[in-house]
Amino acid sequence: MTRAQAEESVRRSNGILYQGTVVRFDDRGVVIRDKNGKEEEIPTEEIVELNLGLSVAQGRADVALANGDFTQAAELFLQAAQGESRPWALRRIEIGLLDALRLSGQHLEAAELFLEIAAERDDPAFMARAPLVWIDGTTIDEKALEQARQWLAPTASPMQRLLGASWLVDGARSASAREALDKLRTQPDRRIGSMARAQYLRASANPPSDEELRQFHDLIETLPTAARKGPQFVYAQALEANGKPVDAALAYLWVPMVYDQERSELAAASLYHAARNSKKAGLNADATRLLDELAKKYPESPWAARAERANHGSDDPRDIDGDGSSSGG
């Protein structure tokens, strides 16, 4: 019996076992159809047992992604797709591949796959997977930048314009990117409008007022938890720009401690900036502890290399006493 023919099952936290054919399985949960055609949706947080016949290749890809080996995960997801025919399983593989591409800095490939899936996913939580840039100085290859310039055209979709503006806003096309973000802030589609507001603040040349900061913090609170980490990083940067190092350090820590479950560069950058602001505030012991945590949790990150240099008394202006800008992804 093939995986597609085998009966699949899901056990809910209340003990009920549902058996039949899976219709959907993703970050939202499982939809399963029984032999009478009745469908039941079980949210992720209520699932305690799954028997879905996932392949060994899919399991290996999931493990690589969870361990932060994003390049290897992308290769394994592609392999897993070759031996799968169930639509829900193929979509799950595509979402895993999207995460791997996004987290490994393959911006264009991630964006193309994101746009394809986003056409079917209108839930705000899926915006957490948009390959938006949150760290100024992130390296994006020329092919992706050329596509981003095309996406700024009025004929592009709002989602394409959001992606393109995000990639270009701290480069040579910053003025046109900021203009696009300004218009997107009022998009009726709240998924796009909220992220455009966050990106527009990221691109702002002037520190926001206290009232603007309060309003932006309120906006973050309206977002699904999974989609908050990028806007939270921008909020922390704004606090830092306003000369509030203690508040900024605490705000940065929300990214790796609460909102990020992916071992992303954004989480590593947030730890680094939290350490910088702790040191600015005279909290040297806290700064050292955060740098040690960064080096331990994200040893392959360029931010960890900076942490190591800072802990050994580096006088490199890019390190903890400098501006902390990045040339990494």
Side-chain angles (χ1 to χ4, degrees), residues 6 35-36 42 55 200 227 283 307:
K35 61 183 180 181
N36 297 317
I42 302 98
S55 68
Y200 189 80
L283 304 173

Side-chain angles (χ1 to χ4, degrees), residues 56-194:
V56 173
Q58 290 179 63
R60 290 175 60 206
D62 289 340
V63 169
L65 185 64
N67 289 340
D69 192 350
F70 305 128
T71 301
Q72 176 70 5
E75 295 174 358
L76 289 170
F77 279 121
L78 287 170
Q79 292 176 20
Q82 296 175 6
E84 185 57 77
S85 60
R86 295 169 293 178
W88 67 265
L90 285 169
R91 179 57 87 199
R92 181 179 182 275
I93 289 170
E94 288 176 343
I95 290 175
L97 176 60
L98 166 60
D99 288 342
L101 292 171
R102 173 174 55 84
L103 292 165
S104 62
Q106 299 182 63
H107 295 89
L108 183 56
E109 294 84 353
E112 290 172 341
L113 186 52
F114 171 80
L115 290 168
E116 176 189 329
I117 301 173
E120 301 176 7
R121 288 282 302 266
D122 60 358
D123 54 302
F126 190 67
M127 285 302 294
R129 290 185 154 90
L132 299 167
V133 168
W134 298 104
I135 305 172
D136 288 347
T138 294
T139 301
I140 301 177
D141 65 57
E142 185 53 42
K143 184 178 179 181
L145 289 175
E146 176 56 35
Q147 181 61 76
R149 288 188 281 270
Q150 295 178 29
W151 281 342
L152 286 187
T155 53
S157 71
M159 196 74 81
Q160 288 173 325
R161 294 203 302 276
L162 175 63
L163 290 168
S166 170
W167 297 357
L168 296 169
V169 79
D170 68 332
R173 295 288 296 275
S174 59
S176 54
R178 281 197 300 270
E179 181 181 355
L181 290 170
D182 189 22
K183 294 177 180 177
L184 288 168
R185 289 190 296 169
T186 57
Q187 262 290 313
D189 186 337
R190 290 185 64 250
R191 299 175 304 161
I192 296 172
S194 298

Side-chain angles (χ1 to χ4, degrees), residues 201-213:
L201 179 59
R202 171 189 161 223
S204 177
N206 301 311
S209 66
D210 287 345
E211 177 59 21
E212 288 171 332
L213 275 173

Side-chain angles (χ1 to χ4, degrees), residues 274-296:
R276 287 183 67 246
N277 280 274
S278 295
K279 187 169 184 180
K280 284 181 183 178
L283 304 173
N284 293 334
D286 288 340
T288 299
R289 176 181 56 80
L290 290 169
L291 291 173
D292 288 342
E293 183 177 350
L294 170 57
K296 181 179 179 180

Side-chain angles (χ1 to χ4, degrees), residues 257-269:
M257 303 300 183
V258 181
Y259 297 142
D260 186 276
Q261 308 297 322
E262 299 180 315
R263 299 170 58 88
S264 69
E265 281 298 293
L266 190 62

